[in-house]
Amino acid sequence: MCLMPTEAEEEPGRSIPGPLIALSLPTSPPQSNLPPTTLWETMFLDASFLACNNTCNVTACQALTNMVILEAFSLQNRAYDLYTKTTTQDLPRLWYGRAGMPFPRVSLGKSSKASQSRGTRFSDGGVQFKVIKYDARGNFLGWEDVQGGTLQLCLASQRVLDAAFVFGTVYSQSCTLEVSDLLQRIPEPIFYEMFLEFVDEMGNAQLWPVPVENAAIQASGQAPLNLQDLRRFFLIDGLSGRQNNLSNPPADVTFAAELLLTRFKFKCTETRLYQQEAHQPPTPEISLFGSRPEQVSFSVSYIQDPGTVQQATNQIALGALGFLSVLHALLETSSWVRRSRLPNINLLVIVKFFAFFAGSLANAFFMITLGIGIYWLIVFKGQQFSAVERTLPPAGGQIEADFITYLLCAFVLKTLDMIHLLITQLTVSIFLMDWEKPMKKQTGKMPAGGDQRAASSVSAWRTFLIANEWNEIQTHRKVSTSLQLFAVLLLLEVVGLKNLASSDLSVNLRPGPDAYQATWSPILRFGIAASIWLAVGLVQIVFSIGFYERFIEDKIHQFVDLCSLSNVSVFILMHRCYGFYIHGRSVHGHADVSLETMYSYIRKEEENRCALRGLEANSDIQTFEVLLTDRTRVLYDRIAQSSMEAARGTNVRSDLHKQRLKNYYALNHFLVTFFEHRYRDMDYIVKNKFPLERIMDMEFQEPGDMSVLYNDESALFSRTLFYNHELALLLFEILLFSAVDLAAQDFVLATIVTFIAQKLVQMLRNALGRRNLAEKTLVEKQFLI
């Protein structure tokens, strides 16, 4: 046993130059039951052991260590057996310690690039690595700065290769290579020890070792306890496979098919490196995997402890918004129960609660995912001119997994909310009240079983006109869906805003063809896509309300004006005893008039030479919320039900058509009489809602024996149309767009799928809404265009 000074034990690169001494050694190696596995070991393993152990030949010690590294997949071999029996202190260490065992740090002296701010900093946005190189014979080949192609076997432009070492860039490069090409580039293995170069708080350049994780050794459990991170690695071994003669080509080749450099960042004054373990503090390291004859890859990923504050913030946000969702669903259900006059809780009430809860919870999940996406867009991409303090959550990590879960939950719940919205709108009860009276009464005998209104000369075209106009505005929206999709796709693909979703710090919207394209981050893709979608939608809504509807066309209020000109009112029941009333009774008494007479009516209104259009005297309010008494609704159902039964049985009895007309006039007469206050036991009052009632969208007072009409200046009857549900429709489209993009990573495909879905929903709403309109208003579908 020879003893050498220990001061240089940790000095990287220490070796004794000169040829490997393999002959005329005084002793033989110790007994071992493991024979040499390669020609290289047969020729040099025992000699290296003796030269290292007996003569303190550092080059021989390096060669012995390299032979252990060449056996990259098992420690059950002669090389490792002899390594463990070597007693000299010149033997290079094979392992780094586990967490809690400090790594040696090498000081390089004062650096001119010292940072003036607290904590570790890297110059020019790059991470500097250095490697010590040895050949297979143990010769020290010197230090080398790690450049783009130093450790990467794939060939690419220098700019692409250098992107791997730009801090914050999640890098992945893979290719298919011929083994013969690899051997031409690296005929014999080169062994590396890797170090991270950084500047500490005092301005001193420091080196920190980068441990190597060998997946095969760790999986087999052969590594010593607390010593599972190797110091050295190689890229390709064409030496061990040579047989009979070292000058022969190798029979097999071992190479690093997959190199993964993982950098871990912590909130401390300097960046520290540890091995990767789920239950240990993680650190940057290289993972060396087994032989693959064709495919090779090099990847760089970042992992940062999210901290308990951020995790607690997400949990608090989810808990708080979830509680508000439950509270909102309870309020919505309570309002629906009161408006439906249900005395007890039944299965339908429970179904309604879960339907309201699904919509509210979908909004909560959307707000959380949007907040996460925008947060990482600002925090991560905003580190252009400062030290990088935050890195993106790792792909497949807990934060990203939670984000994807929230996003998919929001999409599924919002889809259920859309189904609930469609069912609600497609089952409303609507009736068109005709106030028109014949100009003069018919003389002569009335038809048997007929009605005076049925025999009158009042035209039905006004009712058909209102029915068609209502059918047209059922899917009218503030936002143009085609323009929305076009603008979003234009900003993402043509302008290049999608490039902000790359997993690096670049904010270049138009990277060059030779630039490295980092992998897409699902969090950033959703953040940028949802932000653009909401921004474009908000611009359209503001333009529609602030300009288009005010100066060009407002279909909702034009519909109310058309009702007044047609002398037709619209009565809508959205719930059993709650709905809306559009007062369309003409202030001129008649609407079946000539064109000249109609012009005179309009001029009178322009000159204020007639009464106001409102339901009450000296009022111009024409739209109301209606809260009926239970008795009024029972009588309405009795008349309407017989009409619908007649409509469904058209081909059964020959006199059903007459019965249907009779029931239509009966229901029209009932509603006209009701709104003219001619039922003393079923009267109504008109009043304003309290501000809190409008905010909470519910009624605090019971109607008692009289129905209540609440003045409505906001045209809330549009709740039975798409027009009043723009936010719900926008969120559904955003979530659909994002869900498709999450699966396909393609904004164009997401646009196409969203467009098709929009059209299908619109067609379904139009078709079933037209059918419901014809059934409830008794206007034949043939008259609905």
Side-chain angles (χ1 to χ4, degrees):
M1 175 179 179
C2 64
L3 298 176
M4 299 292 290
T6 61
E7 295 296 328
E9 179 183 351
E10 295 297 340
E11 180 182 350
R14 183 178 183 272
S15 64
I16 299 177
L20 180 66
I21 302 175
L23 301 176
S24 66
L25 293 174
T27 61
S28 61
Q31 294 295 326
S32 176
N33 296 326
L34 302 173
T37 57
T38 65
L39 177 62
W40 179 256
E41 288 186 1
T42 302
M43 297 179 63
F44 297 107
L45 177 58
D46 291 350
S48 298
F49 168 78
L50 293 174
C52 176
N53 193 58
N54 297 342
T55 67
C56 300
N57 188 319
V58 179
T59 302
C61 294
Q62 299 286 357
L64 176 60
T65 304
N66 292 341
M67 291 181 194
V68 177
I69 298 298
L70 287 176
E71 300 287 345
F73 310 103
S74 174
L75 297 180
Q76 303 296 327
N77 55 76
R78 183 178 179 83
Y80 184 70
D81 186 42
L82 293 180
Y83 176 89
T84 58
K85 295 177 180 179
T86 304
T87 58
T88 178
Q89 295 185 8
D90 285 293
L91 184 67
R93 292 187 180 181
L94 190 64
W95 310 94
Y96 284 121
R98 294 290 297 259
M101 301 179 66
F103 291 164
R105 186 168 70 176
V106 181
S107 177
L108 298 182
K110 198 73 174 179
S111 172
S112 60
K113 301 178 181 179
S115 172
Q116 299 301 320
S117 58
R118 179 187 170 105
T120 303
R121 300 291 183 266
F122 302 103
S123 61
D124 301 327
V127 183
Q128 305 297 324
F129 288 97
K130 285 183 176 292
V131 291
I132 308 172
K133 298 169 60 177
Y134 300 92
D135 65 10
R137 294 165 178 79
N139 295 312
F140 174 61
L141 302 181
W143 287 85
E144 181 179 336
D145 291 330
V146 176
Q147 303 295 329
T150 303
L151 303 177
Q152 300 187 57
L153 297 178
C154 293
L155 299 177
S157 66
Q158 190 64 35
R159 185 178 179 185
V160 171
L161 296 176
D162 288 341
F165 303 103
V166 176
F167 195 83
T169 300
V170 178
Y171 182 88
S172 180
Q173 186 81 355
S174 62
C175 60
T176 301
L177 296 176
E178 296 291 339
V179 176
S180 57
D181 295 337
L182 289 176
L183 290 177
Q184 289 179 1
R185 292 164 53 187
I186 311 175
E188 291 189 0
I190 302 296
F191 298 87
Y192 302 92
E193 289 188 26
M194 194 170 181
F195 298 86
L196 172 68
E197 182 181 3
F198 64 96
V199 179
D200 64 12
E201 295 176 334
M202 305 302 297
N204 297 317
Q206 303 283 345
L207 292 181
W208 196 269
V210 177
V212 179
E213 176 187 325
N214 188 308
I217 294 179
Q218 290 196 352
S220 64
Q222 298 174 1
L225 186 63
N226 292 330
L227 296 172
Q228 293 192 4
D229 296 318
L230 293 170
R231 291 176 175 242
R232 294 188 184 182
F233 65 98
F234 64 90
L235 298 180
I236 181 170
D237 174 21
L239 187 62
S240 300
R242 298 179 184 181
Q243 301 176 358
N244 301 325
N245 195 307
L246 291 180
S247 61
N248 294 336
D252 58 79
V253 177
T254 302
F255 60 92
E258 189 173 339
L259 283 175
L260 173 62
L261 178 62
T262 307
R263 302 170 185 162
F264 296 81
K265 192 174 186 307
F266 289 83
K267 291 183 177 178
C268 56
T269 56
E270 61 182 52
T271 304
R272 300 192 50 143
L273 312 178
Y274 301 89
Q275 65 179 21
Q276 183 178 5
E277 285 289 344
H279 60 279
Q280 295 287 347
T283 62
E285 52 197 52
I286 298 176
S287 298
L288 183 64
F289 297 88
S291 304
R292 292 180 185 175
E294 297 179 357
Q295 191 77 14
V296 296
S297 67
F298 183 88
S299 305
V300 179
S301 65
Y302 291 81
I303 297 178
Q304 182 174 14
D305 183 9
T308 57
V309 175
Q310 182 175 346
Q311 293 177 343
T313 301
N314 294 339
Q315 294 174 358
I316 291 173
L318 181 60
L321 293 178
F323 172 76
L324 292 178
S325 299
V326 174
L327 182 60
H328 180 262
L330 288 173
L331 291 176
E332 289 279 358
T333 306
S334 175
S335 176
W336 178 82
V337 169
R338 292 168 64 89
R339 291 171 173 178
S340 300
R341 296 288 184 267
L342 296 179
N344 300 312
I345 296 178
N346 53 27
L347 180 61
L348 183 58
V349 175
I350 298 175
V351 172
K352 272 289 184 178
F353 168 77
F354 281 108
F356 290 129
F357 181 61
S360 300
L361 193 59
N363 296 337
F365 277 123
F366 174 79
M367 285 189 287
I368 293 174
T369 52
L370 181 64
I372 293 174
I374 295 178
Y375 169 81
W376 284 109
L377 267 177
I378 296 175
V379 171
F380 179 68
K381 291 290 185 176
Q383 303 175 108
Q384 299 299 312
F385 306 104
S386 62
V388 179
E389 298 292 343
R390 301 293 295 175
T391 59
L392 277 178
Q398 186 63 41
I399 294 179
E400 186 174 296
D402 290 344
F403 172 83
I404 294 175
T405 301
Y406 295 160
L407 180 59
L408 294 180
C409 288
F411 172 64
V412 173
L413 292 172
K414 183 53 69 174
T415 302
L416 296 177
D417 185 42
M418 282 297 302
I419 295 174
H420 176 236
L421 173 64
L422 289 175
I423 293 175
T424 301
Q425 292 194 354
L426 295 174
T427 55
V428 298
S429 180
I430 181 171
F431 188 79
L432 305 181
M433 299 167 46
D434 192 353
W435 294 90
E436 191 75 11
K437 293 181 173 58
M439 299 293 291
K440 60 180 179 179
K441 295 184 179 180
Q442 297 284 344
T443 59
K445 186 178 178 181
M446 298 297 297
D451 184 81
Q452 183 176 355
R453 292 276 309 203
S456 69
S457 60
V458 173
S459 171
W461 290 109
R462 295 171 297 99
T463 303
F464 293 164
L465 176 63
I466 297 300
N468 276 281
E469 188 63 24
W470 180 267
N471 186 50
E472 180 182 340
I473 65 174
Q474 286 190 98
T475 55
H476 172 64
R477 295 177 56 180
K478 303 181 185 74
V479 169
S480 170
T481 56
S482 299
L483 179 60
Q484 178 81 15
L485 288 171
F486 174 77
V488 170
L489 191 61
L490 178 71
L491 292 172
L492 288 173
E493 293 288 344
V494 179
V495 177
L497 291 178
K498 72 172 184 179
N499 291 303
L500 295 178
S502 60
S503 299
D504 57 19
L505 293 175
S506 173
V507 292
N508 188 0
L509 300 184
R510 294 183 176 275
D514 60 336
Y516 173 72
Q517 179 61 58
T519 57
W520 300 114
S521 167
I523 296 178
L524 297 185
R525 281 182 77 90
F526 175 78
I528 191 66
S531 300
I532 292 175
W533 194 289
L534 287 177
V536 173
L538 181 61
V539 169
Q540 285 204 74
I541 292 174
V542 171
F543 175 80
S544 176
I545 297 177
F547 179 79
Y548 188 83
E549 292 182 356
R550 178 172 297 184
F551 300 106
I552 300 178
E553 182 184 33
D554 183 356
K555 288 190 175 183
I556 301 301
H557 288 89
Q558 283 180 352
F559 177 78
V560 178
D561 293 338
L562 184 63
C563 289
S564 294
L565 291 177
S566 302
N567 205 14
V568 174
S569 294
V570 181
F571 182 73
I572 308 167
L573 287 177
M574 190 174 179
H575 305 315
R576 183 175 177 272
C577 294
Y578 172 82
F580 307 97
Y581 173 63
I582 303 174
H583 185 63
R585 186 173 187 176
S586 175
V587 296
H588 308 287
H590 296 281
D592 259 341
V593 296
S594 64
L595 184 61
E596 182 180 359
T597 304
M598 182 61 69
Y599 282 156
S600 67
Y601 288 167
I602 296 175
R603 284 196 299 270
K604 285 183 179 180
E605 292 193 48
E606 290 177 348
E607 297 171 0
N608 293 324
R609 292 189 291 115
C610 60
L612 298 178
R613 290 180 176 182
L615 176 62
E616 294 184 300
N618 301 320
S619 173
D620 59 355
I621 299 178
Q622 295 180 258
T623 54
F624 303 87
E625 293 180 78
V626 178
L627 193 61
L628 299 178
T629 61
D630 189 69
R631 180 180 181 181
T632 306
R633 177 62 203 242
V634 169
L635 184 57
Y636 176 87
D637 285 341
R638 187 182 305 167
I639 302 173
Q641 188 67 28
S642 59
S643 301
M644 287 184 286
E645 288 176 355
R648 287 192 291 265
T650 302
N651 298 323
V652 179
R653 299 202 312 267
S654 59
D655 62 338
L656 282 180
H657 180 66
K658 293 181 180 179
Q659 181 65 31
R660 184 181 183 187
L661 288 177
K662 181 179 179 181
N663 292 334
Y664 166 77
Y665 288 122
L667 185 57
N668 190 81
H669 176 72
F670 166 72
L671 291 176
V672 168
T673 304
F674 173 76
F675 283 104
E676 287 183 338
H677 296 282
R678 287 192 279 173
Y679 288 119
R680 292 184 178 180
D681 55 346
M682 288 188 300
D683 204 355
Y684 67 91
I685 59 174
V686 180
K687 59 186 297 187
N688 291 318
K689 270 190 173 182
F690 296 115
L692 188 58
E693 288 181 315
R694 293 194 177 278
I695 293 173
M696 300 185 66
D697 189 27
M698 62 187 306
E699 297 76 33
F700 297 153
Q701 298 178 348
E702 294 289 344
D705 295 332
M706 300 183 67
S707 301
V708 181
L709 268 65
Y710 295 99
N711 292 318
D712 170 30
E713 299 180 1
S714 303
L716 292 180
F717 69 89
S718 58
R719 290 177 179 174
T720 60
L721 312 171
F722 272 180
Y723 180 85
N724 201 266
H725 298 275
E726 196 63 64
L727 179 59
L729 293 169
L730 273 179
L731 294 187
F732 171 72
E733 291 160 358
I734 291 175
L735 293 169
L736 174 61
F737 182 88
S738 301
V740 175
D741 178 67
L742 180 65
Q745 297 284 291
D746 189 342
F747 285 130
V748 177
L749 178 61
T751 302
I752 295 173
V753 173
T754 305
F755 177 78
I756 294 174
Q758 285 176 341
K759 293 303 178 183
L760 289 177
V761 171
Q762 183 177 356
M763 291 171 58
L764 179 67
R765 177 66 177 84
N766 277 328
L768 298 183
R770 180 170 173 262
R771 176 181 176 181
N772 181 68
L773 181 64
E775 180 180 346
K776 300 297 176 57
T777 62
L778 304 180
V779 175
E780 296 290 345
K781 288 192 293 185
Q782 291 82 352
F783 295 104
L784 298 176
I785 302 173

